[in-house]
Amino acid sequence: MAPSIALARKWRPKSFTQMVGQEHVVRALNNAIESGRLHHAYLFTGTRGVGKTTLARILAKCFNCQTGLTAQPCGQCESCLSIDRGRNPDLIEVDAATNTRVEEMRELLDNAQYMPVSARYKVYIIDEVHMLSRSAFNSMLKTLEEPPEHVKFILATTDPQKVPITVLSRCLQFNLKQMRPDQIAGHLAHVLEEESIPFEEAALTLIGRAAQGSMRDSLSLLDQAIAYGASSVKETQVADMLGVISEDYLYQLLEALKNQDAFSLVTIAQSMADRSLSFTQALEDLARLIHDITLLKATNTAKEALGLSDSLIPFTHHWDPKTLQLFYQIIIQARQDIALSPDELSGFRMALLRMLAFVVNEEKPSRVETTLESTELKKKQLNNDKDVVPETKPPHAVSGHIPPSLAHWSELVDQLSGSGMAYELARQCQLKEFHAGQLHLIIDPSQKILVPYQDRLQSALEALLDMDIRLTIELIKSDGVTPAQIEEKNQQEALLAAKKALETDPVVRSILDEYGGKLIESSIKPVTDNS
Ligand SMILES: Nc1ncnc2c1ncn2[C@@H]1O[C@H](COP(=O)(O)OP(=O)(O)O)[C@@H](O)[C@H]1O
Ligand SMILES: [Mg+2]
Ligand SMILES: [Zn+2]
């Protein structure tokens, strides 16, 4: 049965122990009360729905419980009960956001001088205190400066920056934290168990995330989910309700990516389209997962600190950090590009396939790299030399048979590597002539798509060389060599050198001989300076 009153109200914690999170605040308040060190003004700050008002009311009970000043108010006495019901004559609760009438606020505050009706203290809870008018602040300040023994102020605000420093400096300030998704999901599970409403944990994870740190929002979403799901809380229904993608799909996608299974990727994307899921949302969710995997891989404390899911751990072993960075870039870029793609499904599919095209499973190449590295280590030890330059490094200088001027052009182009399409264009060009600011380049007609970036290249070169340049680019088929071709040639040479080094290396040789091994050529990767 759906609960008849809003869950957020019904489940407002009535004691410190029922609070979720905010341990730092609860501990400090507990200690202060137990040791009788009371302040006359408290300020709770934090975003909405994290427990400011709740804590303020619990604190009011601590001050006024008839069992005496206590960190564990009884909840049974007249004072506690009437505070819980919001009908206690000595608790004056004002919402400064709605109560903007100046005279009214001033009158309330001026009344502070009179004794409480029945309790120990007259307690003022002023919510959204930053909204008070200047004159209201002034009359509050008068009381704050010379507080009568019987008055306690508990202020709360989402925007402490707007509270005058004169007020701030007279309050004991506590910053409440946003709720983590796992804290929220855990609390919702508890609430649902108590309410005897069946649920799927994954549904609560979705709500936990959607609530963006607010416990109140999560409980309102839960109300909606219960209504939507006719008194049960299921993942697919909550996903529909929130317009989010169920984790199932995302994990299936990661799994397919891991298995380098293009067919599955395309099929999953299709079934998402069949359910009219938002691909923009899917990209956002994927980016988050890749982010989480990267973080998990980078630091093993991230899981606890950020409440990351265990189910991501298997993926952390699968891709190296660079691949993960690349995935992230591809996804983020795809989110921008999706508007330009023929339709959302195509845009999404292309992003998936692009990731697949870049996938480097960590195991294969790293094994060869390790071999290479340990081989070098061995050599170093043999030679007792720390700075052996391994022969396997690719020759970085351009080989002798390339004209010097062209080698120079290539170096120049290298320095443009930060300038996007201008760099791409430059890489595909051959230098014909450079004289008195006149730069004449040649590009193969097959690359003419790059020519529109000519202006950008000209500016980039002008900035680099700090001189005026007149750039002309001629579209002709030529037999010359471009920086792009040089780079490719260098890479091939480096690969050959690496292969040769591996084959002739005594350690590798002995492994191959002893175990009847075979070098997998496609897995050899030269170790370069920047890898
Ligand atoms: N830390 C918390 N632990 C448990 N429930 C919370 C917590 N913070 C907020 N809530 C839930 O959200 C509702 C609103 O909280 P409230 O204290 O009024 O938030 P705030 O004043 O910070 O906006 C509460 O009634 C309670 O159900
Ligand atoms: Mg509040
Ligand atoms: Zn009591």
Side-chain angles (χ1 to χ4, degrees), residues 12 47-54 57 93 95 125 127-128 156-158 216:
R12 187 187 286 285
T47 52
R48 65 204 192 96
V50 294
K52 299 183 295 297
T53 305
T54 306
R57 293 197 186 149
E93 218 178 314
D95 183 355
I125 296 181
D127 223 334
E128 296 302 349
T157 180
T158 47
R216 194 220 330 265

Side-chain angles (χ1 to χ4, degrees), residues 22-49:
Q22 320 300 10
E23 292 88 356
H24 60 303
V25 180
V26 168
R27 203 178 312 123
L29 288 174
N30 248 307
N31 291 341
I33 296 166
E34 305 269 81
S35 62
R37 278 180 289 112
L38 296 192
H39 225 261
H40 56 268
Y42 298 79
L43 174 65
F44 296 130
T45 64
T47 52
R48 65 204 192 96

